[in-house]
Amino acid sequence: MSTPSQSTLPTTDLGEVVVERPGRTIRAVVEDPSVHVTWSNYAGGQLGSPLHVHHHHADVFFILEGELELTLGESMELFQATAGTLAVIPPNLPHGFANRSDATAEFLNFHAPGSGFLDYLRGHGKEFDQHPPPTTSGLTGLDATVSNIHSRALTRADTVLTDDPRIAISVVNLQPGAEYQARHTGETCMLVVLDGAHLGR
């Protein structure tokens, strides 16, 4: 078991560019066995991944700007994920995404555990836990956790989700001068500051 590590994401450089082509940029933000995180910028009309499943890891999207169209479940239910939307997709749930709007979509994507996702994007040819959707999965969009943090009345510490052992996510709203002690049992604890500043200790 690895020990937790501490790192700070530079504000001027989101990390290594792993995909760069017209209308699409993907950068590596975190590469740890427990979680791989990418930052993506998709121009309007950019298609993402067609319907697929992961058998052994959770796939998480957090929309920073614009919107993504998420396709969930074998019945291909459509969800418009606007800025502030957090979508946690458990293993074996068919899903896909695209930016079908006219505006740019910017989002974070978490794979927990990492499962070699970044090497897959780099084209290193290594196996990755991504598979065609089964004919019948028995899972629907209701099996995903989709929540928009901007539409919630956030308390000091508001746990958004999830009971999935691979990843637990909380949204925290702190007043100036307040402190928050993260409580977690896993290997990795990660803070993403959406507004304001964070002084870690």
Side-chain angles (χ1 to χ4, degrees), residues 152-176:
R152 298 172 68 100
L154 295 180
T155 60
R156 180 175 179 275
D158 182 25
T159 301
V160 176
L161 50 98
T162 174
D163 57 1
D164 191 306
R166 298 162 185 82
I167 187 167
I169 300 174
S170 296
V171 174
V172 180
N173 185 7
L174 295 182
Q175 297 301 314

Side-chain angles (χ1 to χ4, degrees), residues 169-194:
I169 300 174
S170 296
V171 174
V172 180
N173 185 7
L174 295 182
Q175 297 301 314
E179 294 188 358
Y180 174 68
Q181 179 65 47
R183 296 174 177 84
H184 60 95
T185 58
E187 296 180 17
T188 302
C189 179
M190 181 167 50
L191 298 177
V192 178
V193 180
L194 301 175

Side-chain angles (χ1 to χ4, degrees), residues 26-193:
I26 303 176
R27 291 179 176 268
V29 176
V30 175
E31 186 168 7
D32 184 271
S34 62
V35 62
H36 284 191
V37 184
T38 57
W39 170 92
S40 296
N41 185 297
Y42 276 44
Q46 283 285 307
L47 302 180
S49 296
L51 212 64
H52 62 279
V53 297
H54 308 299
H55 293 320
H56 305 294
H57 73 273
D59 197 354
V60 180
F61 294 85
F62 182 71
I63 314 305
L64 299 168
E65 180 182 318
E67 67 178 58
L68 285 184
E69 182 181 86
L70 302 178
T71 305
L72 302 176
E74 62 183 65
S75 60
M76 301 182 68
E77 300 151 77
L78 299 180
F79 291 78
Q80 300 304 320
T82 56
T85 297
L86 184 66
V88 178
I89 299 163
N92 298 313
L93 174 62
H95 62 284
F97 71 94
N99 179 8
R100 299 191 186 279
S101 74
D102 295 329
T104 296
E106 185 177 319
F107 58 96
L108 297 175
N109 187 203
F110 303 73
H111 289 255
S115 305
F117 178 59
L118 280 167
D119 273 344
Y120 169 74
L121 289 183
R122 293 181 182 114
H124 289 180
K126 296 187 177 181
E127 291 185 5
F128 174 59
D129 177 29
Q130 181 162 308
H131 314 278
T135 304
T136 56
S137 67
L139 299 177
T140 72
L142 295 177
D143 292 293
T145 303
V146 181
S147 178
N148 191 298
I149 66 170
H150 298 323
S151 65
R152 298 172 68 100
L154 295 180
T155 60
R156 180 175 179 275
D158 182 25
T159 301
V160 176
L161 50 98
T162 174
D163 57 1
D164 191 306
R166 298 162 185 82
I167 187 167
I169 300 174
S170 296
V171 174
V172 180
N173 185 7
L174 295 182
Q175 297 301 314
E179 294 188 358
Y180 174 68
Q181 179 65 47
R183 296 174 177 84
H184 60 95
T185 58
E187 296 180 17
T188 302
C189 179
M190 181 167 50
L191 298 177
V192 178
V193 180

